[in-house]
Structure formats: structure tokens, C-alpha cells
Amino acid sequence: MPHVVLCPESLDEMDRMERDLLVLSYFSDERPLKGLNGLTDWRFNGRLSDMLRAGDLDGESGDQTLTTANNRLPTGRVLMFGLGAGKDFTNRRFTESVQKLFLAVSRMKAASCAMAIPGAHLYEDFLLERMAILLKEHRLRYSGSLLLFVPRNQNFKEMSAKFDLIRAEVEKIVPPKPKVVRSRS
């Protein structure tokens, strides 16, 4: 069964995350980077902001840029995933983005990843609904473990309790993605 755990969004938690992949989702009109993106940029001495200024990252919906952590975080790779314009980030776009994101992570064969709920650092609207959508898509499209950062503007204890209820409901109705077992012939 896919394993999902929550942790508060902080530099200390990032330093302990030990995941194969860190996923940073960001908006094309997000300047400066905020939330988990901003913390990562801080750890990278502004490298992500430099990439944005240089046009190496633009944040258009579905854009993907893979980079390394260069020993600045306990992860080997960092995936920058574009969400498009923040003003257009509807629940439908959220769902489409999360589907594409988990397919990309699965194709990268990452056994574990860490991320925040896309857009949660800027928009609190529909946060619990989006958490349910994210958990559903995780079960359907990615069989690895997931560390989910809770934005600093949220009460971690309250979010953890709500998360547990949502996870229990999602697990009842959505089967997990089956693991591929290869037989030897």
C-alpha cells in the first residue's frame, strides 16, 4: 500500500526528508518563490530564482525541469513542475496537474518523493478537497512513498487530524496502484 506521511513545512524537516525526489510545483506568475519552493531556493542560494530570471523555468502548466540538489538537501533530484497562472488554478486544473505530476514521478522511478500540495502555499481555498484529490491520484498513479509538507500558514495538528480522516475515506473507495511484478521465465 502506498505510504503517505505529513510533516510541517520547515527547513529542519527538509533537512531530514531523505527522499529520492523533491517535487516543487510553482505558478508562472509566482515571484518570488514562496512556501516549500522559497525554502528550497534559500537552501540553493537563490539558484531557482536565477533559473526563473534566466528563463530556464517559466511555470507554464505541465512544464517539467529536473535538476540536482547538489548536496544542499538529502535528496538526489528536484523536479520543478509548472502549474500555469495562479489566477487560473481551478480545482479542475489542480486535478489535471496532480495527475500529470504523479505520472511524471512514476516515470522517473522514484521510490519516494516529497512535495507540498500544489498551490497550497498561496491559496487556502479548497485545501481539504485538494488533499483528498491528491491522495486519490497518489493511490492511482504512484506506488512510492510520499512525504507531504503542510504549509506554514496551516495548523499542523489540525491538518494532521483532517488528513487522517480524508486518507481513511480515500483508502475505502480508491484501490492503490498495483506494483508491477516481473516473473522470470
Side-chain angles (χ1 to χ4, degrees):
M1 179 177 301
H3 185 64
V4 182
V5 293
L6 289 185
C7 75
E9 182 184 85
S10 72
L11 289 171
D12 288 340
E13 291 295 336
M14 288 177 66
D15 289 340
R16 290 190 287 265
M17 70 179 162
E18 296 187 19
R19 295 292 191 264
D20 295 334
L21 180 68
L22 173 62
V23 178
L24 301 174
S25 53
Y26 66 105
F27 295 108
S28 59
D29 50 359
E30 180 182 349
R31 306 293 183 276
L33 294 171
K34 295 176 178 60
L36 186 62
N37 303 337
L39 292 175
T40 303
D41 196 32
W42 175 264
R43 274 290 185 256
F44 287 5
N45 294 326
R47 182 169 53 124
L48 301 177
S49 291
D50 292 344
M51 292 171 74
L52 285 164
R53 276 190 292 279
D56 297 330
L57 300 173
D58 63 18
E60 292 305 313
S61 183
D63 280 355
Q64 300 172 32
T65 301
L66 188 62
T67 186
T68 62
N70 289 338
N71 298 318
R72 299 234 176 235
L73 289 171
T75 183
R77 303 174 292 173
V78 177
L79 173 65
M80 298 294 296
F81 189 86
L83 299 172
K87 64 181 174 47
D88 301 326
F89 202 58
T90 62
N91 275 351
R92 182 182 184 138
R93 280 240 340 267
F94 174 84
T95 302
E96 292 167 355
S97 295
V98 170
Q99 289 170 346
K100 290 177 188 174
L101 188 151
F102 280 126
L103 287 173
V105 170
S106 289
R107 283 190 207 110
M108 290 179 193
K109 300 191 184 325
S112 61
C113 73
M115 64 185 287
I117 298 170
H121 61 287
L122 295 178
Y123 302 103
E124 294 181 32
D125 297 341
F126 312 110
L127 187 58
L128 296 178
E129 182 177 313
R130 289 180 176 181
M131 185 182 286
I133 293 167
L134 185 133
L135 288 172
K136 173 187 158 223
E137 295 302 329
H138 173 260
R139 285 179 68 81
L140 291 172
R141 300 178 195 289
Y142 177 56
S143 58
S145 69
L146 173 64
L147 176 68
L148 192 59
F149 286 98
V150 173
R152 287 175 285 179
N153 61 353
Q154 299 294 318
N155 179 301
F156 183 73
K157 266 188 172 174
E158 286 178 20
M159 288 301 293
S160 293
K162 292 173 183 176
F163 172 80
D164 289 339
L165 293 172
I166 292 168
R167 177 174 37 197
E169 290 303 310
V170 168
E171 287 176 354
K172 286 180 192 174
I173 58 175
V174 180
K177 179 182 179 188
K179 290 197 181 230
V180 177
V181 178
R182 297 201 170 117
S183 63
R184 295 182 186 185
S185 302

